[in-house]
Amino acid sequence: MDFTKLLELVVSASLINNFVFTRFLGLCIFFGVSKRMETAVGMSITFVSVMVISAAVSWLIFFGLMVPLDITFLRIVVFIGVVAALVQTADTIMKKTSPVLYHKLGIYLALITTNCIILAVPLINAGEGYSFIEALAFGLGSGLGFALALTIMASIREKLELADVPRPFRGLPIAFVVAGLIALAFTGFSGLITL
Amino acid sequence: MAGEKKEHELIVSVSPHVKGEETVSRIMWSVSLALLPAFLMSLYYFGPGALFVTALCVITSVLAEYLYQKALEKKITVSDGSSFLTGLLLGMNLPPSLPFYIPIAGSFMAVVITKQLFGGLGYNIFNPALIGRAFLLITWPKAMTIWKEPTAIFVALDAKTTATPLGILKEEGIGKLLEAFGDKSNLYMQLLLGNRAGSVGETSVVALLLGAAFLLYRRYITWHIPLSFLGTVALIAWVFGGKGAFFTGDPVIHLLSGGLILGAFFMATDYVTCPSIRKGQIIFGIGCGAVTMLIRLKGGYPEGVMFAILIMNCFAPLIDRAVKTVPFGTVKK
């Protein structure tokens, strides 16, 4: 197994081609739970776990079941099913183990199901024909990238709470401006690793 | 005290009770003064173009702040010099020959979007001048990378364009760079003086260091960010900068070229957008250096200082949280 390739996959998916800042995917959770650091960290952990497991499970189903049966055209439906089942599991586990966080995350926990990143990763894994380990690395990198984006955003938004932002821009609008400016900064990474 | 009224004996006021002489406006104007030598050198090398670009940036920045505050009926704070400094830094980061609308757009982006929308001085997350420049580089990539060759004659109307030393280094390697400048000592000399293509105010290392020494002496900036920034760049350039083998790179070229000196001393040290704890500042500087070299050696752009500082600006609130000291006696939950 080529270790450099795996490292490149993780770094590329998390930093250089960060899903939030370069492809603008997964924005609803990104803006929804980045108001407080606590929820952002909770969501990050949940998100990374769901991401890695769903990347693994959908890879197994895609290459173990769908490719031999020649039903790859069903992949979107199947992947959504896989993700939905995983999110429901996470939902149930979290309700039992951490009710406080469960209530803070609220609707956004269920919304992981329809998160674009979590669907994009299995689709890209299938499209690029990554090996199982590579698919895991890509899932991990994407999850970490989203977690990173979420934590940065939460730290900035908590700092902005004290700022005298003009009234029409308070809350979500200024968060969009921040996201745009971070994306501007991240363009510096462009052309760094081309996969 | 039988009804005796003593005036001014006991004054009740809120802290701080002991005040220093340093004010925001004094620091802003001092930093602007510290940039003066580098600006004069750029006038010598790049002529009227440099003056035009910088003046336009300064005027539009100050005007943008004034109009914004006027329109929103806020207190007019133009005289504190912060928008003047933003305009000056933006101008010094632009190439010396640009059509007039580009600096204006940059000033608007810097002062209105990056600074005032976030609540004005003290609240911005990103360095305004650098956001202005990054925005311009992405919007007008062609115009923003036309570098004028230094002429050392004040009115040279038929200016030639050329690549920056870092551009040459990236595209054609060190051999071509040495060919253009003669030998290595001459290359170092010209880089120190600023006799090379580049942004208006970034070229003259000697003049910039003079200004930086003034700021360090007055304690407006501390050594933490510049030293960790420059040290990281030098180390990475030495280890990974060479062709083929490790430890064969030339750190001096990387230290003296690009916007590194201007960025490390004048922009990474911006109080508002860097971490406020010393330990955090060192982490910030190392991060800036690492990202700069990552972009210079592997990235799509020849120069990475601007993006490095902006990317680390994103992380500054997080770094501050991470290195926050725990009060003595705090019980861990």
Side-chain angles (χ1 to χ4, degrees):
Chain A
M1 185 51 61
D2 189 359
F3 186 72
T4 339
K5 175 85 193 293
L6 292 184
L7 193 73
E8 264 185 14
L9 265 175
V10 174
V11 174
S12 154
S14 60
L15 269 182
I16 293 149
N17 298 315
N18 188 300
F19 271 101
V20 179
F21 296 134
T22 61
R23 303 185 202 186
F24 307 104
L25 288 182
L27 292 184
C28 73
I29 294 183
F30 176 67
F31 286 115
V33 297
S34 62
K35 235 183 266 167
R36 288 253 149 269
M37 194 51 132
E38 202 190 346
T39 51
V41 171
M43 175 55 92
S44 299
I45 296 167
T46 322
F47 195 89
V48 175
S49 353
V50 172
M51 178 71 101
V52 174
I53 299 170
S54 79
V57 173
S58 25
W59 189 90
L60 288 176
I61 291 178
F62 186 78
F63 287 101
L65 208 62
M66 293 168 74
V67 173
L69 291 178
D70 203 18
I71 47 167
T72 50
F73 59 90
L74 281 176
R75 58 186 158 194
I76 292 185
V77 181
V78 172
F79 291 164
I80 289 179
V82 169
V83 172
L86 282 170
V87 171
Q88 193 53 51
T89 318
D91 192 285
T92 316
I93 293 173
M94 195 169 266
K95 206 176 192 170
K96 268 278 178 231
T97 55
S98 171
V100 181
L101 189 62
Y102 177 80
H103 281 288
K104 278 198 175 137
L105 291 178
I107 183 76
Y108 292 106
L109 195 58
L111 275 181
I112 297 185
T113 320
T114 52
N115 187 289
C116 331
I117 305 177
I118 228 141
L119 184 61
V121 167
L123 285 175
I124 292 173
N125 279 337
E128 297 277 325
Y130 285 146
S131 72
F132 184 68
I133 304 290
E134 283 170 348
L136 278 187
F138 187 65
L140 180 70
S142 312
L144 288 178
F146 187 74
L148 179 85
L150 210 52
T151 351
I152 294 180
M153 194 62 179
S155 70
I156 291 178
R157 282 179 81 173
E158 283 196 357
K159 192 181 170 189
L160 276 181
E161 228 150 73
L162 301 168
D164 176 28
V165 177
R167 202 136 50 101
F169 277 92
R170 265 176 221 164
L172 210 48
I174 197 75
F176 268 89
V177 176
V178 172
L181 294 184
I182 299 178
L184 189 61
F186 269 69
T187 52
F189 281 136
S190 65
L192 211 54
I193 296 178
T194 40
L195 282 173
Chain B
M1 304 286 160
E4 199 177 320
K5 195 179 170 193
K6 284 185 179 172
E7 263 189 291
H8 303 305
E9 190 122 302
L10 290 168
I11 300 168
V12 181
S13 69
V14 291
S15 62
H17 304 291
V18 181
K19 292 169 189 152
E21 282 179 8
E22 305 300 354
T23 58
V24 170
S25 62
R26 192 166 158 160
I27 293 175
M28 293 295 168
W29 290 115
S30 302
V31 177
S32 305
L33 183 71
L35 285 167
L36 189 68
F39 178 61
L40 292 178
M41 288 301 274
S42 74
L43 284 188
Y44 176 70
Y45 283 123
F46 298 118
L51 181 67
F52 172 72
V53 167
T54 315
L56 194 59
C57 282
V58 169
I59 293 168
T60 48
S61 289
V62 174
L63 197 67
E65 176 147 301
Y66 176 79
L67 289 177
Y68 177 91
Q69 289 174 334
K70 192 90 180 161
L72 268 77
E73 295 174 346
K74 287 175 176 292
K75 196 169 161 241
I76 308 280
T77 56
V78 168
S79 61
D80 70 10
S82 67
S83 55
F84 180 91
L85 181 59
T86 299
L88 186 61
L89 280 173
L90 176 63
M92 291 179 76
N93 273 293
L94 296 179
S97 49
L98 282 177
F100 72 95
Y101 50 86
I102 292 184
I104 296 177
S107 296
F108 173 80
M109 191 69 190
V111 172
V112 176
I113 307 285
T114 318
K115 193 172 126 198
Q116 292 297 342
L117 266 196
F118 286 81
L121 182 64
Y123 295 109
N124 46 303
I125 304 294
F126 297 94
N127 188 312
L130 288 179
I131 284 282
R133 186 183 190 279
F135 167 73
L136 296 182
L137 181 64
I138 287 163
T139 316
W140 288 284
K142 187 110 205 297
M144 285 290 291
T145 44
I146 295 176
W147 308 103
K148 199 163 152 276
E149 198 164 81
T151 48
I153 307 163
F154 198 70
V155 274
L157 293 173
D158 49 348
K160 279 199 292 184
T161 59
T162 177
T164 62
L166 278 178
I168 300 172
L169 193 63
K170 182 140 208 162
E171 300 299 328
E172 293 163 276
I174 191 157
K176 182 81 183 172
L177 194 60
L178 288 177
E179 198 181 294
F181 280 91
D183 58 352
K184 217 163 205 182
S185 57
N186 185 45
L187 171 66
Y188 291 163
M189 197 63 209
Q190 299 307 330
L191 287 178
L192 272 174
L193 283 175
N195 189 10
R196 56 136 170 125
S199 299
V200 167
E202 70 173 22
T203 61
S204 179
V205 174
V206 173
L208 285 169
L209 285 178
L210 195 71
F214 168 70
L215 292 183
L216 280 167
Y217 170 72
R218 296 286 290 270
R219 296 192 188 170
Y220 290 153
I221 60 173
T222 57
W223 56 269
H224 301 81
I225 291 177
L227 197 72
S228 51
F229 193 163
L230 298 177
T232 311
V233 166
L235 186 71
I236 296 179
W238 178 53
V239 178
F240 298 106
K243 283 267 171 290
F246 286 145
F247 303 105
T248 54
D250 186 346
V252 184
I253 291 180
H254 277 283
L255 282 180
L256 297 183
S257 52
L260 185 61
I261 301 294
L262 181 65
F265 285 100
F266 291 93
M267 289 188 292
T269 53
D270 175 18
Y271 302 136
V272 184
T273 55
C274 74
S276 42
I277 302 168
R278 298 278 179 248
K279 203 161 78 182
Q281 291 181 345
I282 291 176
I283 298 173
F284 181 85
I286 292 173
C288 286
V291 177
T292 300
M293 287 314 289
L294 189 69
I295 295 175
R296 277 190 186 178
L297 296 178
K298 299 265 172 226
Y301 292 100
E303 170 60 318
V305 170
M306 166 185 76
F307 286 119
I309 298 175
L310 285 177
I311 285 167
M312 291 314 287
N313 281 165
C314 311
F315 287 94
L318 204 60
I319 294 175
D320 252 346
R321 273 181 96 99
V323 297
K324 196 161 60 183
T325 46
V326 182
F328 181 70
T330 307
V331 181
K332 234 183 175 176
K333 269 188 268 183

